[in-house]
Amino acid sequence: MAYKRTEITPGEIERQRDICARIRETYLARGIRPLAMVDTFGCQQNEADSEKLRGYLAEMGFGFTDDSARADFVILNTCAVREHAEQRVLGNVGALTHTKAANPDQIIAVCGCMVQQKHMAEKLKRSYPIVDLVFGPHELWRFPELYQDVLTRHRRVFAIDPSDGAVAEGIPLQRDKGVKAWLSIMYGCNNFCTYCIVPYVRGRERSRKPEDVVAEAKALIAAGYKDITLLGQNVNSYGKDLAEPVDFADLLRMVNDLEGDFVLRFMTSHPKDATEKLFRTMAECEKCAHHLHLPVQSGNSRILKAMNRSYTREKYLAQVALARQYMPDLVLTTDIIVGFPGETDEEFNDTLTLVDEVRYDAMFTFIYSKRVGTPAASMPDPYSRADKQVHFDKLVELSNTISAEKHAAYEGTRQRVLIDGADGRGEWKLTARTKGGRLVHLQGDEGLVGQFVYVDITGSNTWSLYGEITTG
Ligand code: 5AD
Ligand code: SF4
């Protein structure tokens, strides 16, 4: 597949930032401190995109609110992976009719993956006249220009042309304060799993240059972030589109070698091309969490083929065994789709036996959702939603049992954890993560947030661990 790498020039991003500065001056001259609300749906990639939206908005002089009634500008950054997410977005857009009625100057934008689908953009155009601005993931880098168009031309703006996507450096970012940071290393996906909409809405795989990733990681560490997650739809493809010979394992090592006390994570890894070199690198890099999110999707080789996953059950199990050989303490998580078109009882049963064999620390389970334009959408799908729900419930029950057993095995152990939050319930105010990413509830002072401490694990359940900070 021929894809020409497109880079947005620094001059273009400068132009966007100049627009931000002009918008800011206009608000200042009118004595207005405008408020924006950015509501994010879906995955971490979308969270990372919202940080860019907020970065631009801050440069335009916006403050932020979570209250849509108070916001001058509401932006919904949407997801298209499953129908449920889309329905939630449409419900939220509908609810904004009231806020806009109370404040007719309120501007409403809908962006992200959902609107990159033509039928969804059409629906917003036709049925949701309160929406002023619609733009897909490919247009995010020129969001200031699009907003300016809405302000100055007093018309609705739709920017959703199909595109393979580009790489844009230098967009300002406003990250959540705290100890955890997302760091996008690549965008898009080339895998075309037959159920998935992502390759159609996020374009082809394109990697950021290693020096840009490393510089951003360095800045994050200097700013006090202690838990850094490298993000991509399939990080194992990192570097394939770059001129220089660099792969994901190389990049991981470069970030690991930066000075500072931090934990390095990444997601997501496609099982078809996770390499031995990656597992070895993870084992050798002292800051790298021994955690793999390795979505299996199904335990049956016929279904995997129909999904276009490019591996069999056996190959997947071999990958897991190899990873565990390098990291006996590996925390393994996965995604599974139940009810792919035509999945029989027996085929589903293969998923159960695989889960039983692998024993994941945690799983994200989904019922198949038909996505317009994907190959799976035209496959015969004879089983009812109720049948699929029965399978789904069985899988969740098994997953919960295993997670609880895995968590129970931590009791009595001592773990080094990073305290990352102080808004837990009751006495268990502090939250922390083990290096493998398991959630630990702790008692203690808020001032400890951002610190690495040792804890003795004293209790557990399906979802998390409980511990005591040790002084010894
Ligand atoms: N239906 C259900 N789940 C899906 N996923 C992706 N597309 C679909 C779909 N059409 C799940 C996959 C993927 C995760 C992010 O979402 O399990 O790994
Ligand atoms: Fe979707 Fe497959 Fe790409 Fe993941 S690897 S984003 S499931 S097409």
Side-chain angles (χ1 to χ4, degrees):
M1 203 178 319
Y3 162 68
K4 205 178 142 300
R5 191 185 157 85
T6 312
E7 287 177 20
I8 307 298
T9 62
E12 270 294 352
I13 301 298
E14 270 316 302
R15 196 170 68 81
Q16 299 302 320
R17 298 180 80 165
D18 287 347
I19 294 172
C20 292
R22 277 206 299 281
I23 293 173
R24 182 190 192 102
E25 276 161 26
T26 314
Y27 283 130
L28 271 176
R30 288 161 54 200
I32 298 172
R33 167 74 164 153
L35 288 177
M37 179 179 119
V38 181
D39 203 358
T40 312
F41 298 78
C43 65
Q44 282 80 11
Q45 191 62 60
N46 247 21
E47 294 288 348
D49 284 351
S50 286
E51 291 174 346
K52 293 182 181 163
L53 293 169
R54 286 198 195 91
Y56 272 142
L57 286 163
E59 290 199 354
M60 292 178 204
F62 278 90
F64 295 96
T65 176
D66 291 331
D67 179 359
S68 57
R70 289 183 60 217
D72 302 285
F73 190 7
V74 178
I75 304 172
L76 304 184
N77 187 10
T78 66
C79 171
V81 168
R82 284 170 291 275
E83 193 187 354
H84 177 69
E86 293 186 333
Q87 276 165 355
R88 270 183 55 221
V89 169
L90 293 177
N92 284 21
V93 177
L96 292 172
T97 312
H98 307 293
T99 60
K100 189 139 178 165
N103 173 13
D105 288 335
Q106 184 175 60
I107 290 181
I108 298 171
V110 186
C111 66
C113 293
M114 182 181 104
V115 303
Q116 190 65 46
Q117 305 169 98
K118 205 159 172 238
H119 70 280
M120 275 298 172
E122 291 292 326
K123 188 170 190 147
L124 288 169
K125 197 178 256 178
R126 249 193 350 260
S127 312
Y128 295 85
I130 58 162
V131 175
D132 304 285
L133 170 60
V134 171
F135 60 100
H138 305 304
E139 315 284 344
L140 191 151
W141 66 271
R142 61 185 197 100
F143 161 58
E145 177 184 353
L146 298 171
Y147 178 52
Q148 179 179 252
D149 268 5
V150 174
L151 289 179
T152 55
R153 300 203 184 158
H154 303 287
R155 64 178 175 91
R156 302 175 81 197
V157 172
F158 283 73
I160 40 134
D161 284 346
S163 160
D164 281 345
V167 177
E169 294 296 341
I171 298 177
L173 279 181
Q174 176 147 315
R175 290 193 154 90
D176 279 350
K177 291 201 179 61
V179 298
K180 289 166 82 92
W182 310 115
L183 205 179
S184 297
I185 63 162
M186 58 190 299
Y187 312 101
C189 182
N190 286 358
N191 292 313
F192 290 93
C193 301
T194 54
Y195 50 80
C196 186
I197 196 70
V198 169
Y200 302 89
V201 294
R202 284 209 174 256
R204 300 289 62 75
E205 278 169 0
R206 57 236 186 249
S207 309
R208 294 179 66 194
K209 292 191 183 130
E211 57 269 30
D212 290 327
V213 174
V214 170
E216 190 169 338
K218 209 167 171 179
L220 288 172
I221 297 158
Y225 290 96
K226 298 234 158 44
D227 187 316
I228 297 175
T229 305
L230 307 182
L231 280 184
Q233 302 300 344
N234 174 21
V235 294
N236 300 331
S237 296
Y238 176 80
K240 287 185 182 163
D241 58 322
L242 293 173
E244 57 209 290
V246 59
D247 66 12
F248 179 60
D250 300 330
L251 182 73
L252 201 60
R253 196 178 288 277
M254 287 180 221
V255 179
N256 180 77
D257 288 349
L258 293 172
E259 250 170 65
D261 197 2
F262 61 94
V263 180
L264 181 56
R265 310 180 188 284
F266 59 88
M267 64 191 300
T268 293
S269 264
H270 194 304
K272 77 177 161 61
D273 51 13
T275 59
E276 183 160 7
K277 178 178 172 190
L278 171 64
F279 303 148
R280 192 183 332 113
T281 306
M282 287 173 74
E284 286 170 5
C285 288
E286 74 287 358
K287 290 165 196 159
C288 185
H290 291 182
H291 171 208
L292 259 189
H293 183 64
L294 200 65
V296 65
Q297 312 296 0
S298 161
N300 175 271
S301 295
R302 185 193 78 82
I303 294 290
L304 288 169
K305 188 149 198 284
M307 287 176 163
N308 191 31
R309 291 291 288 177
S310 312
Y311 55 86
T312 58
R313 173 191 176 101
E314 290 69 32
K315 165 127 191 267
Y316 182 90
L317 289 172
Q319 289 278 39
V320 169
L322 188 62
R324 283 184 167 151
Q325 202 176 305
Y326 280 95
M327 293 167 284
D329 60 344
L330 182 70
V331 169
L332 197 64
T333 56
T334 201
D335 294 340
I336 291 184
I337 297 177
V338 170
F340 183 80
E343 183 184 55
T344 63
D345 281 347
E346 291 73 37
E347 287 165 340
F348 169 71
N349 214 40
D350 284 345
T351 296
L352 288 181
T353 59
L354 178 127
V355 166
D356 218 15
E357 192 171 333
V358 174
R359 294 182 57 78
Y360 294 101
D361 293 81
M363 290 169 35
F364 300 87
T365 44
F366 310 102
I367 291 186
Y368 168 74
S369 171
K370 187 172 177 168
R371 307 286 65 210
V372 174
T374 59
S378 47
M379 293 179 189
D381 193 0
Y383 297 98
S384 70
R385 168 83 198 196
D387 292 334
K388 297 181 183 191
Q389 189 69 45
V390 171
H391 285 173
F392 181 80
D393 292 346
K394 250 192 201 170
L395 182 62
V396 170
E397 198 187 317
L398 176 62
S399 158
N400 286 348
T401 306
I402 295 171
S403 292
E405 285 169 10
K406 286 232 154 187
H407 283 160
Y410 282 85
E411 290 181 30
T413 66
R414 184 165 289 185
Q415 303 281 329
R416 185 170 190 254
V417 302
L418 172 64
I419 302 184
D420 61 2
D423 38 22
R425 273 189 236 137
E427 302 163 77
W428 300 95
K429 213 162 54 198
L430 299 181
T431 55
R433 293 270 166 186
T434 66
K435 196 157 176 191
R438 307 320 299 145
L439 174 63
V440 188
H441 298 286
L442 300 171
Q443 301 179 0
D445 190 82
E446 289 187 18
L448 291 170
V449 172
Q451 291 194 21
F452 287 96
V453 294
Y454 283 93
V455 299
D456 287 330
I457 303 298
T458 51
S460 71
N461 59 29
T462 306
W463 298 278
S464 54
L465 308 171
Y466 290 80
E468 263 171 33
I469 299 174
T470 67
T471 46

